[in-house]
Amino acid sequence: MKSLFGKLADGTKVHSWALENGGTRLKVLSWGGVVQSLEIPDREGRYANVSLGFDTIEDYVAGSPYFGALIGRYGNRIAEGRFTLDGESHRVDVNDGANSLHGGAQGFDKRVWDVEPFAEGSDVGLYLYRTSVDGEMGYPGTLETKVTYTLTGQGDWRIDYEATTDKATVVNLTSHVYWNLAGENSGTIHDHELQIAASRYTPVDSGLIPTGEPAEVAGTPFDFRRAKTVGEGLRVAHQQLLYSKGIDHNYVLDKGITGEPEHIATLKDPSSGRTMKIATTEPGLQFYSGNFLDGTLVGTGGSIYRQGDALCLETQHFPDSPNQPSFPSTVLRPGQTYRTTTVHSFHA
């Protein structure tokens, strides 16, 4: 179902699409490809919206911290907004202190996408299209992007990303849903249980830019190889936690880049029984523990969002890869097609 969600200041219409399949209910906006809500049942069959968001387009425009958004052209940070590609220096928009974050101040999350619904077999979903012109936010090349949101007959939410370019460029697309499996207005996620199939992570400097050398998670608060509560270790006096006021780090997935999505993380809320499993083709997972939610935003449930009220699990390539030759490459060239897939599976 399609409906008018609101209008931008220039009169541009923003629409909402509501989909339901396999027991999962999804609402998506043409503004930023935003997942405004995602509802799944608990062990008793009771539904709750498990993603943070807003009720109005005005709230999203005024200052959303990427709630539910499609992120591009480059998810995560690029140091000082600079990189060199094929001997040519590029300067992209700086919007996070000295660095560029999530594509710049007017990234894909703040653009209106063309949206087309589809139904195929037991699946339903949306195709989202956007053309990012050469030089937008400083990135070279005209990037043609297609993102497919699919709700499968089993209730899985699958995201397929595709992009092509007419000049060599860098691309790192992801989704920035803030998850709380107890419900978006239920308080902290510190008692959620999390498992991540990663033996290493990328330490950062005070600007949250990777230092370049992955480190072992063993013996640190970053070790989620076996399931443990999110809150466990968050108050440990570890320099990396002090830099980011919690966890806001890229995990080097043990599986690396794969041709098909492989399971890499499980999140469970013991109180409701809701469980989410994530599979991806990507080599990295940015785990963000909701550190910068500061009590200034009111969400869809009418509650104020505070620190730790949700977490993000962003499948992607590594932060600052254009400046880190040892990291998996994010370069896309003419004639190539960028393709990645991430699948979220739910049960209780």
Side-chain angles (χ1 to χ4, degrees), residues 201-211 240 243-244 248-250:
Y201 75 106
T202 49
V204 296
D205 62 19
S206 59
L208 304 186
I209 297 296
T211 57
Q240 288 293 305
Y243 281 150
S244 54
D248 190 7
H249 290 74
N250 169 65

Side-chain angles (χ1 to χ4, degrees), residues 94 239 244 251 258 272 285 300 331:
V94 170
Q239 183 60 63
S244 54
Y251 280 72
T258 48
S272 67
L285 178 74
T300 51
V331 174

Side-chain angles (χ1 to χ4, degrees), residues 128-290:
L128 298 99
Y129 301 95
R130 179 158 198 279
T131 299
S132 176
V133 298
D134 184 20
E136 184 176 273
M137 292 291 101
Y139 286 90
T142 294
L143 194 76
E144 299 287 351
T145 305
K146 176 185 177 183
V147 179
T148 305
Y149 287 169
T150 303
L151 281 187
T152 71
Q154 293 74 43
D156 296 348
W157 175 41
R158 176 182 174 118
I159 313 173
D160 291 285
Y161 304 89
E162 297 179 34
T164 58
T165 184
D166 61 358
K167 289 183 185 177
T169 191
V170 294
V171 187
N172 189 27
L173 306 180
T174 190
S175 171
H176 210 298
V177 174
Y178 284 67
W179 301 102
N180 185 324
L181 297 185
E184 62 83 34
N185 62 349
S186 62
T188 179
I189 44 78
H190 288 175
D191 60 350
H192 280 38
E193 297 170 357
L194 177 64
Q195 176 270 331
I196 302 174
S199 303
R200 297 180 298 158
Y201 75 106
T202 49
V204 296
D205 62 19
S206 59
L208 304 186
I209 297 296
T211 57
E213 195 66 38
E216 298 291 326
V217 299
T220 76
F222 300 93
D223 191 351
F224 285 88
R225 290 173 297 174
R226 294 184 179 181
K228 68 179 184 182
T229 60
V230 171
E232 184 178 341
L234 279 184
R235 297 185 183 274
V236 173
H238 192 288
Q239 183 60 63
Q240 288 293 305
L241 298 183
L242 292 171
Y243 281 150
S244 54
K245 298 182 173 61
I247 296 177
D248 190 7
H249 290 74
N250 169 65
Y251 280 72
V252 180
L253 298 174
D254 291 339
K255 72 172 188 65
I257 298 172
T258 48
E260 296 295 328
E262 293 187 12
H263 174 257
I264 54 92
T266 301
L267 182 68
K268 180 178 181 179
D269 169 42
S271 64
S272 67
R274 293 187 185 94
T275 300
M276 177 176 70
K277 293 186 176 182
I278 300 177
T280 190
T281 58
E282 290 279 52
L285 178 74
Q286 185 80 9
F287 170 28
Y288 168 55
S289 57

Side-chain angles (χ1 to χ4, degrees), residues 78 81-91 170 321-323 331:
I78 295 179
R82 298 177 184 272
F83 64 91
T84 300
L85 179 58
D86 296 338
E88 184 177 350
S89 296
H90 298 278
R91 179 68 185 266
V170 294
S321 291
N323 296 309
V331 174

